[in-house]
Amino acid sequence: MARFTLFGGASDTSRRIAEADSVAVIGLGRFGTSLALELMAGGTEVLGIDADEEIVQSLNGVLTQVVRADSTKSEALQQLAVDEFDRVVVAIGSDITASILTCSVLLGMKVPGIWAKAVTEQHALILEQLGVHRVIRPEAEMGRRVAHLVRGAAQDYIEIDRGYAIVKSIPPARLHGIPLGKTGLRKEFGVTIAAFKKPGGEWHNADAETVLSEGDTILIVGPTRKAEGFAQLR
């Protein structure tokens, strides 16, 4: 049987967490810890698992429950009731073999939602071939996002899917003072303004009657190249 150490309660605690709005995070390096802390800040309960006792001790009392365990062993994860979680994130980055084996165990346990971090294209390919539900590459995704921000006039950029994005920018002067429904925006530029914010105000959904002014901020939705091109208009 795999050796593990519990902080914050026994497996009954894990089962209680699994029944709530909760996520299990396996691998508490920089990415896993950041993810776990953000989830906790948003009111989601987190079971954290890592093989490093020092890391586990440092997060004791910070996460809902934190555990030292070998995540490649199905008996360890079953004792922690990980199979009762709807969402599990495998954030292991330093040991590709452990990442792959952990994902294989979780798939065998039929966890309905498995997210896994990949550190290389080959790692990502293997995880996808295993059947991991969502493979993420934080460094690569952040690199693409920053590249779009650096080369354009966008204030922020979120890639919804390959070739489709939401871009935060300012409205070009040609749209000032005109209801959006009369601008021919979609026909001419192939994008949609989904939301807007007045200076110091809150975000609102945009519609055909929305009138934009200098100093406003907008969210442009559409094909990446078209959305970025529109954001560069002044």
Side-chain angles (χ1 to χ4, degrees):
M1 181 175 292
R3 294 176 62 248
F4 60 91
T5 305
L6 294 179
F7 291 84
S11 58
D12 286 346
T13 302
S14 300
R15 290 190 173 85
R16 181 192 62 75
I17 297 171
E19 293 173 356
D21 176 21
S22 58
V23 176
V25 178
I26 301 175
L28 298 172
R30 284 177 296 180
F31 172 71
T33 295
S34 177
L35 171 67
L37 293 176
E38 188 66 20
L39 287 168
M40 290 288 294
T44 299
E45 295 199 53
V46 176
L47 166 64
I49 301 172
D50 198 277
D52 189 315
E53 186 168 0
E54 185 175 337
I55 291 176
V56 168
Q57 289 178 341
S58 71
L59 292 170
N60 183 27
V62 179
L63 304 182
T64 310
Q65 183 184 20
V66 61
V67 181
R68 181 174 67 84
D70 182 353
S71 62
T72 69
K73 305 297 185 182
S74 61
E75 57 265 37
L77 297 186
Q78 286 171 348
Q79 288 187 42
L80 294 170
V82 173
D83 55 326
E84 297 183 22
F85 281 75
D86 291 330
R87 296 164 293 174
V88 179
V89 179
V90 180
I92 301 170
S94 59
D95 188 336
I96 293 178
T97 300
S99 167
I100 293 169
L101 290 174
T102 297
C103 288
S104 179
V105 169
L106 293 170
L107 287 165
M109 296 166 69
K110 302 196 181 302
V111 173
I114 303 171
W115 294 58
K117 172 185 175 180
V119 294
T120 66
E121 289 290 349
Q122 293 83 356
H123 186 194
L125 179 61
I126 293 171
L127 294 177
E128 289 167 357
Q129 290 174 337
L130 278 175
V132 171
H133 307 119
R134 182 69 181 270
V135 178
I136 50 176
R137 292 196 59 196
E139 293 84 359
E141 291 170 9
M142 181 56 72
R144 287 199 302 270
R145 182 181 181 192
V146 172
H148 286 284
L149 295 176
V150 167
R151 76 184 183 195
Q155 297 175 6
D156 206 349
Y157 168 94
I158 300 175
E159 188 176 45
I160 304 302
D161 204 345
R162 281 289 191 175
Y164 204 84
I166 298 176
V167 176
K168 179 181 175 183
S169 186
I170 61 174
R174 64 186 297 172
L175 297 187
H176 295 173
I178 306 172
L180 287 178
K182 296 183 178 181
T183 62
L185 183 65
R186 293 183 187 176
K187 184 176 180 180
E188 184 175 357
F189 298 102
V191 300
T192 299
I193 294 178
F196 70 99
K197 183 175 71 169
K198 298 292 183 182
E202 298 180 350
W203 285 102
H204 298 280
N205 293 331
D207 56 31
E209 305 302 319
T210 298
V211 177
L212 300 172
S213 306
E214 184 178 0
D216 291 352
T217 305
I218 58 175
L219 294 182
I220 308 159
V221 181
T224 302
R225 290 186 180 277
K226 291 182 178 181
E228 285 186 313
F230 184 79
Q232 295 189 42
L233 297 177
R234 290 295 176 261

